[in-house]
Short mmCIF file of all heavy atoms in Angstrom, two decimals:
data_model
loop_
_atom_site.label_atom_id
_atom_site.label_comp_id
_atom_site.label_asym_id
_atom_site.label_seq_id
_atom_site.Cartn_x
_atom_site.Cartn_y
_atom_site.Cartn_z
N MET A 1 -5.96 -3.81 23.02
CA MET A 1 -4.48 -3.59 22.92
C MET A 1 -4.10 -3.71 21.50
O MET A 1 -4.82 -4.51 20.65
CB MET A 1 -3.87 -4.81 23.69
CG MET A 1 -2.34 -4.74 23.76
SD MET A 1 -1.86 -6.05 24.92
CE MET A 1 -0.69 -6.85 23.87
N LYS A 2 -3.09 -2.97 21.11
CA LYS A 2 -2.59 -3.01 19.75
C LYS A 2 -1.14 -3.38 19.72
O LYS A 2 -0.55 -3.18 20.75
CB LYS A 2 -2.78 -1.66 19.09
CG LYS A 2 -4.26 -1.35 18.82
CD LYS A 2 -4.32 -0.16 17.95
CE LYS A 2 -5.86 0.16 17.75
NZ LYS A 2 -6.11 1.17 16.74
N ALA A 3 -0.58 -3.88 18.77
CA ALA A 3 0.81 -4.21 18.51
C ALA A 3 1.33 -3.60 17.18
O ALA A 3 0.53 -3.36 16.20
CB ALA A 3 1.11 -5.71 18.54
N ARG A 4 2.66 -3.35 17.34
CA ARG A 4 3.23 -2.73 16.11
C ARG A 4 4.71 -3.20 16.05
O ARG A 4 5.39 -3.46 17.13
CB ARG A 4 3.27 -1.20 16.22
CG ARG A 4 3.75 -0.36 15.15
CD ARG A 4 3.50 1.07 15.15
NE ARG A 4 4.30 1.62 16.41
CZ ARG A 4 5.48 1.92 16.29
NH1 ARG A 4 6.16 1.76 15.25
NH2 ARG A 4 6.13 2.48 17.38
N VAL A 5 5.08 -3.47 14.88
CA VAL A 5 6.59 -3.84 14.60
C VAL A 5 7.22 -2.84 13.87
O VAL A 5 6.87 -2.34 12.85
CB VAL A 5 6.60 -5.17 13.82
CG1 VAL A 5 8.18 -5.47 13.44
CG2 VAL A 5 6.06 -6.36 14.61
N ASP A 6 8.39 -2.37 14.54
CA ASP A 6 9.13 -1.37 13.71
C ASP A 6 10.05 -2.02 12.70
O ASP A 6 10.92 -2.79 13.05
CB ASP A 6 10.18 -0.63 14.76
CG ASP A 6 10.97 0.40 14.11
OD1 ASP A 6 10.97 0.47 12.88
OD2 ASP A 6 11.58 1.22 14.90
N ALA A 7 9.67 -1.97 11.49
CA ALA A 7 10.38 -2.72 10.38
C ALA A 7 11.75 -2.32 10.30
O ALA A 7 12.58 -3.16 9.86
CB ALA A 7 9.60 -2.55 9.14
N ASP A 8 12.13 -1.07 10.67
CA ASP A 8 13.60 -0.71 10.46
C ASP A 8 14.40 -1.42 11.58
O ASP A 8 15.56 -1.69 11.34
CB ASP A 8 13.64 0.82 10.70
CG ASP A 8 13.07 1.48 9.51
OD1 ASP A 8 12.94 0.98 8.37
OD2 ASP A 8 12.64 2.77 9.55
N THR A 9 13.79 -1.77 12.64
CA THR A 9 14.54 -2.34 13.77
C THR A 9 14.52 -3.87 13.76
O THR A 9 15.47 -4.49 14.08
CB THR A 9 14.03 -1.90 15.26
OG1 THR A 9 13.83 -0.45 15.17
CG2 THR A 9 14.84 -2.31 16.25
N CYS A 10 13.51 -4.46 13.30
CA CYS A 10 13.35 -5.93 13.20
C CYS A 10 14.49 -6.53 12.33
O CYS A 10 14.80 -6.05 11.21
CB CYS A 10 11.97 -6.29 12.51
SG CYS A 10 11.75 -8.03 12.28
N ILE A 11 15.00 -7.60 12.96
CA ILE A 11 16.07 -8.26 12.20
C ILE A 11 15.53 -9.67 11.65
O ILE A 11 16.47 -10.45 11.29
CB ILE A 11 17.42 -8.57 13.19
CG1 ILE A 11 16.99 -9.28 14.52
CG2 ILE A 11 18.05 -7.26 13.52
CD1 ILE A 11 18.06 -9.68 15.37
N GLY A 12 14.35 -9.89 11.97
CA GLY A 12 13.73 -11.08 11.22
C GLY A 12 14.01 -12.35 11.91
O GLY A 12 14.11 -13.44 11.28
N CYS A 13 14.25 -12.35 13.20
CA CYS A 13 14.62 -13.64 13.99
C CYS A 13 13.55 -14.54 13.96
O CYS A 13 13.69 -15.77 14.18
CB CYS A 13 15.18 -13.30 15.33
SG CYS A 13 13.95 -12.86 16.51
N GLY A 14 12.30 -14.12 13.92
CA GLY A 14 11.10 -15.07 13.88
C GLY A 14 10.55 -15.35 15.10
O GLY A 14 9.55 -16.11 15.31
N LEU A 15 11.12 -14.98 16.29
CA LEU A 15 10.61 -15.32 17.74
C LEU A 15 9.23 -14.96 17.95
O LEU A 15 8.54 -15.60 18.60
CB LEU A 15 11.62 -14.78 18.65
CG LEU A 15 11.44 -15.17 20.09
CD1 LEU A 15 11.66 -16.71 20.26
CD2 LEU A 15 12.49 -14.43 21.12
N CYS A 16 8.99 -13.77 17.50
CA CYS A 16 7.50 -13.30 17.76
C CYS A 16 6.46 -14.13 17.17
O CYS A 16 5.57 -14.50 17.85
CB CYS A 16 7.46 -11.78 17.32
SG CYS A 16 7.83 -11.53 15.74
N GLU A 17 6.69 -14.62 15.95
CA GLU A 17 5.70 -15.49 15.30
C GLU A 17 5.76 -16.91 16.04
O GLU A 17 4.66 -17.37 16.24
CB GLU A 17 6.27 -15.71 13.89
CG GLU A 17 5.23 -16.67 12.95
CD GLU A 17 5.83 -16.87 11.63
OE1 GLU A 17 6.97 -17.42 11.59
OE2 GLU A 17 5.04 -16.67 10.75
N SER A 18 6.81 -17.37 16.49
CA SER A 18 6.91 -18.59 17.32
C SER A 18 6.03 -18.41 18.61
O SER A 18 5.37 -19.35 19.02
CB SER A 18 8.29 -18.98 17.57
OG SER A 18 8.97 -19.20 16.43
N THR A 19 6.24 -17.28 19.32
CA THR A 19 5.73 -17.08 20.53
C THR A 19 4.34 -16.72 20.45
O THR A 19 3.44 -17.18 21.26
CB THR A 19 6.40 -15.76 21.29
OG1 THR A 19 7.83 -16.03 21.31
CG2 THR A 19 5.85 -15.57 22.67
N CYS A 20 3.79 -15.94 19.39
CA CYS A 20 2.41 -15.49 19.34
C CYS A 20 2.02 -15.39 17.87
O CYS A 20 1.83 -14.37 17.30
CB CYS A 20 2.33 -14.05 20.02
SG CYS A 20 0.65 -13.47 20.17
N PRO A 21 1.75 -16.58 17.32
CA PRO A 21 1.36 -16.61 15.87
C PRO A 21 0.06 -16.11 15.54
O PRO A 21 -0.30 -15.87 14.48
CB PRO A 21 1.48 -18.17 15.60
CG PRO A 21 1.28 -18.81 17.01
CD PRO A 21 1.86 -17.92 17.90
N GLU A 22 -0.81 -15.74 16.75
CA GLU A 22 -2.15 -15.16 16.47
C GLU A 22 -1.87 -13.71 16.14
O GLU A 22 -2.86 -13.09 15.50
CB GLU A 22 -2.95 -15.17 17.71
CG GLU A 22 -3.29 -16.63 18.33
CD GLU A 22 -2.23 -17.12 19.28
OE1 GLU A 22 -1.07 -16.57 19.35
OE2 GLU A 22 -2.46 -18.09 19.84
N VAL A 23 -0.86 -13.18 16.40
CA VAL A 23 -0.58 -11.76 16.24
C VAL A 23 0.62 -11.35 15.17
O VAL A 23 0.53 -10.44 14.42
CB VAL A 23 -0.31 -11.00 17.55
CG1 VAL A 23 0.03 -9.57 17.33
CG2 VAL A 23 -1.47 -11.04 18.54
N PHE A 24 1.53 -12.33 15.19
CA PHE A 24 2.80 -11.95 14.34
C PHE A 24 2.93 -12.98 13.30
O PHE A 24 2.73 -14.19 13.55
CB PHE A 24 3.97 -11.88 15.32
CG PHE A 24 3.83 -10.78 16.28
CD1 PHE A 24 3.53 -11.14 17.57
CD2 PHE A 24 4.12 -9.47 16.11
CE1 PHE A 24 3.53 -10.18 18.62
CE2 PHE A 24 3.96 -8.45 17.06
CZ PHE A 24 3.56 -8.87 18.26
N LYS A 25 3.28 -12.51 12.13
CA LYS A 25 3.80 -13.50 11.04
C LYS A 25 4.94 -12.87 10.27
O LYS A 25 5.06 -11.56 10.27
CB LYS A 25 2.56 -13.73 10.13
CG LYS A 25 2.10 -12.54 9.26
CD LYS A 25 1.18 -13.15 8.25
CE LYS A 25 0.68 -11.93 7.40
NZ LYS A 25 -0.27 -12.13 6.42
N MET A 26 5.68 -13.74 9.77
CA MET A 26 6.79 -13.32 9.06
C MET A 26 6.34 -13.01 7.49
O MET A 26 5.58 -13.65 6.96
CB MET A 26 7.87 -14.31 8.93
CG MET A 26 8.42 -14.63 10.33
SD MET A 26 9.07 -13.35 11.22
CE MET A 26 10.36 -12.72 10.17
N ASP A 27 6.93 -11.73 7.12
CA ASP A 27 6.54 -11.32 5.68
C ASP A 27 7.98 -11.15 5.04
O ASP A 27 8.60 -10.09 5.30
CB ASP A 27 5.68 -10.11 5.64
CG ASP A 27 5.55 -9.59 4.29
OD1 ASP A 27 5.65 -10.42 3.36
OD2 ASP A 27 4.98 -8.45 4.22
N GLY A 28 8.39 -12.16 4.44
CA GLY A 28 9.86 -12.16 3.96
C GLY A 28 10.72 -12.12 5.19
O GLY A 28 10.63 -13.00 6.13
N ASP A 29 11.56 -11.16 5.36
CA ASP A 29 12.62 -11.10 6.45
C ASP A 29 12.21 -10.16 7.63
O ASP A 29 13.11 -9.77 8.30
CB ASP A 29 13.97 -10.84 5.97
CG ASP A 29 14.06 -9.54 5.24
OD1 ASP A 29 13.05 -8.76 5.05
OD2 ASP A 29 15.22 -9.06 4.93
N LYS A 30 10.97 -9.67 7.63
CA LYS A 30 10.41 -8.89 8.58
C LYS A 30 9.10 -9.50 9.21
O LYS A 30 8.39 -10.18 8.49
CB LYS A 30 9.98 -7.43 8.06
CG LYS A 30 11.30 -6.77 7.46
CD LYS A 30 12.19 -6.28 8.47
CE LYS A 30 13.33 -5.56 7.71
NZ LYS A 30 14.48 -5.15 8.71
N ALA A 31 8.84 -9.21 10.39
CA ALA A 31 7.56 -9.58 11.08
C ALA A 31 6.60 -8.41 10.81
O ALA A 31 6.93 -7.27 10.83
CB ALA A 31 7.75 -9.82 12.54
N VAL A 32 5.31 -8.91 10.62
CA VAL A 32 4.17 -8.01 10.52
C VAL A 32 3.02 -8.30 11.47
O VAL A 32 3.00 -9.55 12.01
CB VAL A 32 3.60 -7.94 9.12
CG1 VAL A 32 4.66 -7.27 8.16
CG2 VAL A 32 3.19 -9.20 8.64
N VAL A 33 2.18 -7.42 11.85
CA VAL A 33 1.10 -7.62 12.77
C VAL A 33 -0.15 -7.97 12.03
O VAL A 33 -0.43 -7.54 10.94
CB VAL A 33 0.87 -6.41 13.58
CG1 VAL A 33 -0.40 -6.59 14.42
CG2 VAL A 33 2.09 -6.17 14.61
N ILE A 34 -0.77 -9.10 12.39
CA ILE A 34 -2.11 -9.60 11.77
C ILE A 34 -3.22 -8.76 12.40
O ILE A 34 -3.30 -8.82 13.66
CB ILE A 34 -2.25 -11.04 11.98
CG1 ILE A 34 -0.94 -11.94 11.55
CG2 ILE A 34 -3.45 -11.51 11.37
CD1 ILE A 34 -1.03 -13.29 12.03
N GLY A 35 -4.00 -8.13 11.73
CA GLY A 35 -5.26 -7.44 12.28
C GLY A 35 -4.80 -6.11 12.88
O GLY A 35 -3.69 -5.78 13.03
N SER A 36 -5.90 -5.47 13.19
CA SER A 36 -5.68 -4.12 13.80
C SER A 36 -5.72 -4.15 15.35
O SER A 36 -5.12 -3.17 15.98
CB SER A 36 -6.68 -3.15 13.27
OG SER A 36 -8.05 -3.60 13.53
N VAL A 37 -6.35 -5.17 15.93
CA VAL A 37 -6.43 -5.18 17.40
C VAL A 37 -5.97 -6.65 17.78
O VAL A 37 -6.31 -7.51 17.09
CB VAL A 37 -7.84 -5.02 17.87
CG1 VAL A 37 -8.05 -5.15 19.22
CG2 VAL A 37 -8.35 -3.64 17.41
N VAL A 38 -5.26 -6.67 18.90
CA VAL A 38 -4.72 -7.96 19.46
C VAL A 38 -5.85 -8.60 20.12
O VAL A 38 -6.55 -8.02 20.99
CB VAL A 38 -3.60 -7.67 20.52
CG1 VAL A 38 -3.23 -8.88 21.11
CG2 VAL A 38 -2.47 -7.02 19.89
N PRO A 39 -6.22 -9.85 19.60
CA PRO A 39 -7.39 -10.61 20.35
C PRO A 39 -6.97 -10.70 21.85
O PRO A 39 -5.90 -10.99 22.24
CB PRO A 39 -7.33 -11.88 19.62
CG PRO A 39 -6.53 -11.76 18.26
CD PRO A 39 -5.70 -10.66 18.70
N LYS A 40 -8.14 -10.64 22.60
CA LYS A 40 -7.99 -10.73 24.06
C LYS A 40 -7.24 -12.00 24.43
O LYS A 40 -6.31 -11.91 25.31
CB LYS A 40 -9.43 -10.86 24.71
CG LYS A 40 -9.98 -9.52 25.15
CD LYS A 40 -9.64 -9.14 26.64
CE LYS A 40 -10.17 -7.83 27.07
NZ LYS A 40 -9.14 -6.77 27.29
N ALA A 41 -7.59 -12.98 23.81
CA ALA A 41 -6.92 -14.35 24.26
C ALA A 41 -5.38 -14.37 23.86
O ALA A 41 -4.77 -15.26 24.38
CB ALA A 41 -7.68 -15.55 23.43
N ALA A 42 -4.97 -13.45 23.20
CA ALA A 42 -3.60 -13.41 22.70
C ALA A 42 -2.69 -12.37 23.46
O ALA A 42 -1.44 -12.15 23.18
CB ALA A 42 -3.42 -13.37 21.20
N GLU A 43 -3.31 -11.68 24.23
CA GLU A 43 -2.65 -10.48 24.88
C GLU A 43 -1.44 -10.82 25.69
O GLU A 43 -0.36 -10.18 25.63
CB GLU A 43 -3.66 -9.62 25.79
CG GLU A 43 -4.56 -8.84 24.86
CD GLU A 43 -5.41 -7.79 25.70
OE1 GLU A 43 -5.32 -7.86 27.08
OE2 GLU A 43 -6.11 -7.04 25.10
N VAL A 44 -1.61 -11.96 26.53
CA VAL A 44 -0.41 -12.35 27.36
C VAL A 44 0.81 -12.73 26.41
O VAL A 44 1.99 -12.25 26.59
CB VAL A 44 -0.76 -13.40 28.32
CG1 VAL A 44 0.46 -13.91 29.06
CG2 VAL A 44 -1.81 -12.81 29.28
N THR A 45 0.61 -13.60 25.43
CA THR A 45 1.64 -14.06 24.64
C THR A 45 2.21 -12.89 23.73
O THR A 45 3.42 -12.84 23.50
CB THR A 45 1.23 -15.22 23.80
OG1 THR A 45 0.11 -14.96 22.99
CG2 THR A 45 1.11 -16.47 24.56
N CYS A 46 1.22 -12.02 23.36
CA CYS A 46 1.74 -10.80 22.63
C CYS A 46 2.71 -9.89 23.45
O CYS A 46 3.71 -9.57 22.89
CB CYS A 46 0.60 -9.98 22.08
SG CYS A 46 0.93 -8.51 21.16
N LYS A 47 2.42 -9.74 24.61
CA LYS A 47 3.27 -8.92 25.65
C LYS A 47 4.60 -9.72 25.65
O LYS A 47 5.71 -9.09 25.73
CB LYS A 47 2.64 -8.70 26.88
CG LYS A 47 1.71 -7.59 26.86
CD LYS A 47 1.14 -7.34 28.21
CE LYS A 47 -0.08 -6.36 28.12
NZ LYS A 47 -0.87 -6.26 29.23
N LYS A 48 4.57 -11.01 25.84
CA LYS A 48 5.86 -11.73 26.01
C LYS A 48 6.52 -11.71 24.75
O LYS A 48 7.84 -11.64 24.83
CB LYS A 48 5.38 -13.32 26.32
CG LYS A 48 6.67 -14.18 26.43
CD LYS A 48 6.35 -15.48 27.12
CE LYS A 48 7.73 -16.35 27.08
NZ LYS A 48 8.92 -15.61 27.40
N ALA A 49 5.99 -11.77 23.57
CA ALA A 49 6.70 -11.54 22.29
C ALA A 49 7.38 -10.31 22.38
O ALA A 49 8.58 -10.18 21.81
CB ALA A 49 5.87 -11.68 21.11
N ALA A 50 6.73 -9.23 22.70
CA ALA A 50 7.33 -7.89 22.72
C ALA A 50 8.53 -7.84 23.70
O ALA A 50 9.64 -7.33 23.39
CB ALA A 50 6.27 -6.86 23.08
N GLU A 51 8.39 -8.44 24.90
CA GLU A 51 9.40 -8.45 25.92
C GLU A 51 10.72 -9.36 25.35
O GLU A 51 11.82 -8.88 25.62
CB GLU A 51 9.02 -9.08 27.16
CG GLU A 51 8.17 -8.09 27.89
CD GLU A 51 7.38 -8.90 29.03
OE1 GLU A 51 7.72 -9.99 29.41
OE2 GLU A 51 6.50 -8.22 29.58
N ASP A 52 10.41 -10.43 24.65
CA ASP A 52 11.47 -11.26 24.21
C ASP A 52 12.21 -10.94 22.95
O ASP A 52 13.25 -11.39 22.56
CB ASP A 52 10.94 -12.72 24.12
CG ASP A 52 10.55 -13.30 25.48
OD1 ASP A 52 10.87 -12.59 26.47
OD2 ASP A 52 10.04 -14.25 25.52
N CYS A 53 11.60 -9.96 22.18
CA CYS A 53 12.26 -9.49 20.91
C CYS A 53 13.59 -9.10 21.16
O CYS A 53 13.85 -8.19 21.95
CB CYS A 53 11.48 -8.47 20.22
SG CYS A 53 12.23 -7.88 18.75
N PRO A 54 14.54 -9.73 20.52
CA PRO A 54 16.05 -9.40 20.88
C PRO A 54 16.38 -7.92 20.54
O PRO A 54 17.40 -7.40 21.16
CB PRO A 54 16.82 -10.34 20.12
CG PRO A 54 15.98 -10.70 18.87
CD PRO A 54 14.58 -10.62 19.56
N VAL A 55 15.73 -7.26 19.71
CA VAL A 55 16.07 -5.94 19.35
C VAL A 55 14.98 -4.86 19.79
O VAL A 55 15.00 -3.78 19.24
CB VAL A 55 16.28 -5.72 17.86
CG1 VAL A 55 17.64 -6.45 17.53
CG2 VAL A 55 15.31 -6.24 16.96
N THR A 56 13.99 -5.30 20.53
CA THR A 56 12.94 -4.43 21.02
C THR A 56 12.33 -3.67 19.87
O THR A 56 11.99 -2.49 19.94
CB THR A 56 13.49 -3.41 22.02
OG1 THR A 56 14.48 -4.02 22.85
CG2 THR A 56 12.40 -3.02 23.04
N ALA A 57 11.85 -4.47 18.95
CA ALA A 57 11.21 -3.95 17.73
C ALA A 57 9.71 -3.90 17.89
O ALA A 57 9.01 -3.27 17.01
CB ALA A 57 11.57 -4.68 16.56
N ILE A 58 9.10 -4.47 18.91
CA ILE A 58 7.73 -4.49 19.06
C ILE A 58 7.24 -3.61 20.14
O ILE A 58 7.73 -3.69 21.18
CB ILE A 58 7.35 -6.05 19.40
CG1 ILE A 58 7.75 -7.02 18.35
CG2 ILE A 58 5.83 -6.13 19.63
CD1 ILE A 58 7.57 -8.43 18.79
N VAL A 59 6.29 -2.84 19.81
CA VAL A 59 5.46 -2.00 20.74
C VAL A 59 4.14 -2.66 20.95
O VAL A 59 3.45 -2.87 19.94
CB VAL A 59 5.36 -0.57 20.28
CG1 VAL A 59 4.60 0.21 21.40
CG2 VAL A 59 6.76 0.02 20.10
N ALA A 60 3.70 -2.98 22.14
CA ALA A 60 2.45 -3.65 22.45
C ALA A 60 1.86 -3.04 23.63
O ALA A 60 2.34 -2.97 24.76
CB ALA A 60 2.47 -5.12 22.75
N SER A 61 0.76 -2.30 23.45
CA SER A 61 -0.02 -1.54 24.50
C SER A 61 -1.55 -1.38 24.31
O SER A 61 -1.78 -1.41 23.11
CB SER A 61 0.73 -0.24 24.81
OG SER A 61 0.69 0.54 23.66
FE1 F3S B 1 11.55 -9.01 14.35
FE2 F3S B 1 11.71 -9.04 16.93
FE3 F3S B 1 9.90 -10.48 15.70
S1 F3S B 1 13.43 -9.08 15.60
S2 F3S B 1 10.93 -11.12 13.78
S3 F3S B 1 10.01 -8.26 15.72
S4 F3S B 1 11.01 -11.05 17.60
#
């Protein structure tokens, strides 16, 4: 599974980093994805972060 943050859409609320710090971290006022592949153990929380992003800036599939 991979994840991507649309930097143009992200409003920097930080929820994804709180929900799934294995995959998302804040870089200034935008979230970025750590690594190229989502670790197996983080897939569930990564999907939750994508679902919970208030502006749907995360694509995880
Ligand atoms: Fe941005 Fe959504 Fe995360 S707004 S900081 S990608 S929860």
Side-chain angles (χ1 to χ4, degrees):
M1 190 171 119
K2 293 189 174 190
R4 189 171 62 79
V5 173
D6 181 349
D8 291 335
T9 308
C10 173
I11 56 171
C13 75
L15 187 60
C16 53
E17 184 185 55
S18 303
T19 303
C20 186
E22 299 89 347
V23 176
F24 302 98
K25 68 172 181 184
M26 298 308 293
D27 180 16
D29 60 354
K30 303 284 179 181
V32 294
V33 172
I34 304 162
S36 56
V37 176
V38 174
K40 268 267 181 245
E43 286 189 353
V44 171
T45 51
C46 180
K47 282 183 186 162
K48 178 161 176 43
E51 284 165 14
D52 290 352
C53 174
V55 292
T56 326
I58 300 169
V59 179
S61 58

